[in-house]
Amino acid sequence: MAVVKADAYGHGLKYLWSYLARDVDGMAIARVSEAVYLRELGYKGIVLALSGFDDGDDLQAIDEYKLQTVIHHPRQVALLMKTTLKHPLTVWLKIETGMHRLGLEAAEVDAAYHQIKAHPQVENVILMTHFASSESKDVTLTQKQIDAFGRIIAPYSEPCSLSNSAGILAWPKARQQWVRPGLMMYGGSPFTPAEKQPVLQPVMRLTAPVKAIRTLQAGDAVGYGGTFVAKGSMTIAVVGVGYGDGYPRALPNGTPMWLNAKMVKTVGRVSMDSVMVDISDHDNVAVGQRAVLWGPELAVETVAEYAKTDPRELLCKMVMHRIERKIIGDNNVEHH
Ligand SMILES: *Cc1c(COP(=O)(O)O)cnc(C)c1O
């Protein structure tokens, strides 16, 4: 089950869905509205709405577009029970085991399960849970979640689903019937950059052009707020990407960027449309060359560490419509 929420982690669902469709058994997306969008793009396979329905309108859409739904709350069970559906429905019953976000409490599961099974249009029930820290070196919580899930589902013989990317990579015994890869499917790693498996090849390469090159003298300050001041004479390049494109303003001086076969470092604050890099030690930079913000040459996980965030957040923010997307080869989308 390919997880494609937040516009396929910022890659653009309309570009990727047909490539993904060749290799997966279904796609999971957060909201009913997103699931309807995926149907309208033309995907005919299994589409699961991970946060389920909030009201009768959502439930009608699930029925009309033949979506599958998560049920994580007794209120949803009650709403389903008083609704007549036109099509057979598959329900993913989400069980709380340690994340404390969405999911039925252990004590609520049995009643919900039997009610749902008794609904005339419910065809299948799949039992699921979600890990809170399966990427962590501390394995205690994930082990507890697996144990709790095993205890709660023991009375039922339904297919199960536990694992996100880190669960798939680090917890083979939690693979079960359905897995739900998100980040790893786009070639991102839930672990630290140093622990990244080479098999994870980034799908997205984000690039931006060098707009200008200038020389600075000692004492010259760079960018808004002058957070970087030249210690001696130096050369910088202005790269045409900024927080208005999703390149975070929080990135500090010294963030790496790949420019004409060499790693360079940012100087000064990221502005809305541009950012500066130190090219004093780089003889081969010219206006018009494209810098790589992240991609195969520079892992998005590394940039995420500098921004003190998660690679998913950086990728998701690539939903900005002013970023031009170019599909290169069968499986690559280039972002400018
Ligand atoms: C987002 C999500 C996933 C995918 O998570 P990754 O860590 O990106 O692989 C899987 N399952 C659920 C329920 C999710 O919300």
Side-chain angles (χ1 to χ4, degrees), residues 3 5 9 50 94 101 130 164-165 180-183 312:
V3 179
K5 60 200 184 193
Y9 287 48
L50 285 168
K94 187 168 187 179
R101 193 177 59 178
H130 191 49
N164 54 2
S165 296
R180 308 185 307 267
L183 183 62
R312 296 170 189 80

Side-chain angles (χ1 to χ4, degrees), residues 39-184:
R39 272 282 181 260
E40 285 172 344
L41 288 173
Y43 183 53
K44 297 200 168 50
I46 293 172
V47 176
L48 171 64
L50 285 168
S51 21
F53 49 91
D54 293 328
D55 53 33
D57 288 348
D58 283 350
L59 201 44
Q60 290 307 328
I62 285 168
D63 195 22
E64 186 178 333
Y65 289 89
K66 298 194 182 127
L67 309 173
Q68 300 193 355
T69 184
V70 164
I71 284 189
H72 61 79
H73 196 280
R75 195 178 151 268
Q76 294 174 313
V77 180
L79 183 56
L80 175 64
M81 296 319 289
K82 60 177 200 204
T83 307
T84 308
L85 304 171
K86 292 197 280 291
H87 304 103
L89 180 69
T90 293
V91 171
W92 296 57
L93 203 58
K94 187 168 187 179
I95 301 169
E96 157 56 33
T97 56
M99 173 90 178
H100 299 111
R101 193 177 59 178
L102 299 180
L104 293 167
E105 295 291 334
E108 296 168 337
V109 171
D110 200 55
Y113 175 81
H114 288 291
Q115 283 185 69
I116 290 167
K117 285 292 267 191
H119 190 289
Q121 279 91 45
V122 170
E123 193 176 41
N124 300 299
V125 175
I126 295 163
L127 302 168
M128 70 176 284
T129 193
H130 191 49
F131 290 138
S133 49
S134 45
E135 71 292 337
S136 170
K137 290 227 166 30
D138 179 358
V139 297
T140 335
L141 180 58
T142 304
Q143 188 59 59
K144 267 193 179 152
Q145 288 194 263
I146 294 172
D147 294 345
F149 188 68
R151 266 195 314 276
I152 296 166
I153 65 157
Y156 322 108
S157 50
E158 306 289 359
C160 291
S161 177
L162 296 87
S163 286
N164 54 2
S165 296
I168 294 163
L169 293 165
W171 293 87
K173 69 176 170 185
R175 286 181 192 158
Q176 303 285 331
Q177 284 74 41
W178 283 94
V179 290
R180 308 185 307 267
L183 183 62
M184 69 180 288

